[in-house]
Amino acid sequence: MVSPTRATIEDVARLAGVSAKTVSRVFADSAQVADHTRERVRDAAKRLRFRPNTLARDLRRGGVSSTVAFLIGDISNPFYFAVAGGIEQELASAGYTMLLATTDDSAQTERRVIDALLGQRVSALLLTPVADDQSYLEGERHLGTPIVAVDRPPRDLVADTVVLANRSGMREAVRSLTDRGHRRIAFVANPASLYSVRERLAGYREALAEVEVQDTVRWEHLSDDPHASTHEAVRTLLASTDAPTAIVTGNNRATSAVLRALRDISTPHPPAVIGFDDFEYAELLGISVVAHDPHELGRSAARLALDRIADPGGRVRTIELPTRLLPRGSGERPPVEG
Amino acid sequence: MVSPTRATIEDVARLAGVSAKTVSRVFADSAQVADHTRERVRDAAKRLRFRPNTLARDLRRGGVSSTVAFLIGDISNPFYFAVAGGIEQELASAGYTMLLATTDDSAQTERRVIDALLGQRVSALLLTPVADDQSYLEGERHLGTPIVAVDRPPRDLVADTVVLANRSGMREAVRSLTDRGHRRIAFVANPASLYSVRERLAGYREALAEVEVQDTVRWEHLSDDPHASTHEAVRTLLASTDAPTAIVTGNNRATSAVLRALRDISTPHPPAVIGFDDFEYAELLGISVVAHDPHELGRSAARLALDRIADPGGRVRTIELPTRLLPRGSGERPPVEG
DNA sequence: CTGTTAGCGCATTCAG
DNA sequence: CTGAATGCGCTAACAG
């Protein structure tokens, strides 16, 4: 089975009895062409199933493609997908397509994948930085590729950035607990080394310091082993003699683990719980959370990229998106001595 | 601020004192080049921060890019993101990047976006068909672009397809209920016109027919209005004189709506519930579901595409992925007369 | 093992 | 308003 060959702009020109450039104009400028000529060209194009080759066009127009890349660390985290959704939406309305790639949260993969992406001459590179330093992108930035850091600031690289108000969001959550009299408050996170989680941890400590609780380390359960059992840790925490009366979590995964652990533990007085990141069943379960808008995070990032494509010399910006404490019951439980 | 210009293969060749083709070989063939020559070229390339332009390469090599497009209907549905994750993973290991685009479940957008994607000369097009018919892709298929339908078969188009065992999965779920004595079983879905949901509805009817329950329409709550209140509908259903003793749902969204409704309704004997699609909190909530592997759905789809890129003449295949009934409590409740 | 020639499909000059 | 020539960056097809 021999495939028919794809029509080129020349084929269309021949059939329409015009020059290649005229065909080009019909599909690009759209102006500067007589109506009847345009008509004839359109007809010929349709008959030949002609479709302009974006690859060739982009190459001719300065070698930059009409795609923007978004590089995610962990594709299985629904948070990043919501972000990707926002990016895609904003890009699409500007005529760009999103190239989505993942790094498996490995610094080595990050470099390899970025190399491939830049080879495709993406118009901009959005990424959630994983490697310890992104200085290797400095050269690329000077070559004019807009780079936007999403959810985490880059290291050793000047770039537009969008992050959440992690620290103040968590501070507010913990304050709501201390206001109710809680003093023994645990912080549970896994992974814990991420920028966002570290910031939330800082906010947690700040809020506790405000009520003279300084030594919080024994309440902090931080792990970076994805296989470590948060479940077990929470169990231990609650079984101790001065068990916490409240638990805050560093992210959606930790929240899920904490809730599972609480289900399996029978305590007369369950601790108050406030999770970071909202989730679909939080309302049903009555779980208070520090909510934010991942979709908007993506849109903001895409807008930063588009702005920089339009004005490469503009000032570098960092956007911090607000969070919102949503009381749903679990976070309003008073402290009760177990 | 003037951006430095990007080095081309010629610049590298000049600096290394070789021809452009030799540089090309170093970055492609990798073989057929003397070690010391390769070394010199590598050095020169590094000094100039040279990065091969994939756009130009792809154009020269037959005009096909090294990207594969995946077109989703609704980006906010976590199901499709899990699928996208599987696709990306499988593609990446074969050296392709995923172009992700969305149609907002609009047939019109579908055509427009597909046009743009094909213009980029993607190596394959994966899509969840939305439009009533995809025959407009027939020409493209003949031109050699592999097309794979994901989660729904295409209409009026021969294409490789991956779907779930929707019908048998739901049949099995309903049988598990009738085996326990349930006869008044409701089916709740929104949206309901999708292929997958229609198949599940068919499975539901088949299983009920097996126990001589023929007139199921009054138990079927099917809606396609995203703003319609499933919540209200479930409430009405359960308040009726012969309320259902069990509810099965057509998808994850319906499950969520049903659970919310049940929370707000006080019934002495809550109905048994089996949801289609597993979700993170199902285990915690004790909700029985018909589970499947969306990630694997994506991987299978990507493999079909890669196979067809390798062998354009091969037989068209349809893969049906199995489902699994996961009992977690809610689906094992016996029928109780309210 | 290396170089030369030609051209992928299109758009940017610059003329008419 | 339209056309002819030229080349974007790279790689087949041939030489040598």
Side-chain angles (χ1 to χ4, degrees), chain A residues 9 21 24 50 53 57 60:
Chain A
I9 212 170
K21 179 58 201 171
S24 167
F50 169 73
N53 186 332
R57 169 151 52 90
R60 186 68 187 104

Side-chain angles (χ1 to χ4, degrees), chain A residues 283-338:
Chain A
E283 192 253 329
L284 180 68
L285 289 165
I287 304 302
S288 305
V289 298
V290 178
H292 48 81
D293 189 345
H295 200 261
E296 181 55 32
L297 184 66
R299 299 190 63 143
S300 298
R303 277 194 293 264
L304 281 181
L306 294 171
D307 285 355
R308 190 152 297 281
I309 289 173
D311 174 21
R315 211 171 58 74
V316 172
R317 289 183 290 166
T318 290
I319 295 181
E320 188 176 270
L321 292 179
T323 63
R324 206 155 44 99
L325 179 61
L326 297 184
R328 291 198 179 112
S330 73
E332 292 73 59
R333 294 180 195 134
V336 179
E337 293 306 317

Side-chain angles (χ1 to χ4, degrees), chain B residues 128-141:
Chain B
T128 56
V130 170
D132 283 339
D133 103 88
Q134 275 75 39
S135 59
Y136 63 95
L137 284 173
E138 192 59 45
E140 193 63 30
R141 192 174 71 88

Side-chain angles (χ1 to χ4, degrees), chain B residues 43-84:
Chain B
D43 262 25
K46 183 166 280 179
R47 292 246 305 272
L48 297 174
R49 297 178 186 287
F50 169 73
R51 199 190 306 281
N53 185 331
T54 312
L55 248 51
R57 167 143 49 98
D58 287 344
L59 179 60
R60 187 63 185 97
R61 297 223 278 222
V64 171
S65 85
S66 36
T67 58
V68 167
F70 180 37
L71 190 55
I72 313 184
D74 173 14
I75 201 157
S76 71
N77 192 329
F79 169 72
Y80 292 112
F81 268 130
V83 177

Side-chain angles (χ1 to χ4, degrees), chain B residues 272-288:
Chain B
V273 174
I274 301 183
F276 209 107
D277 297 332
D278 202 0
F279 57 97
E280 189 181 0
Y281 281 89
E283 192 253 330
L284 180 68
L285 289 165
I287 305 302
S288 305

Side-chain angles (χ1 to χ4, degrees), chain B residues 79 164 200 276-278 290-294 297 321-324:
Chain B
F79 169 72
L164 296 173
R200 292 163 197 175
F276 209 107
D277 297 332
D278 202 0
V290 178
H292 47 81
D293 189 345
L297 185 65
L321 293 178
T323 63
R324 207 156 44 100

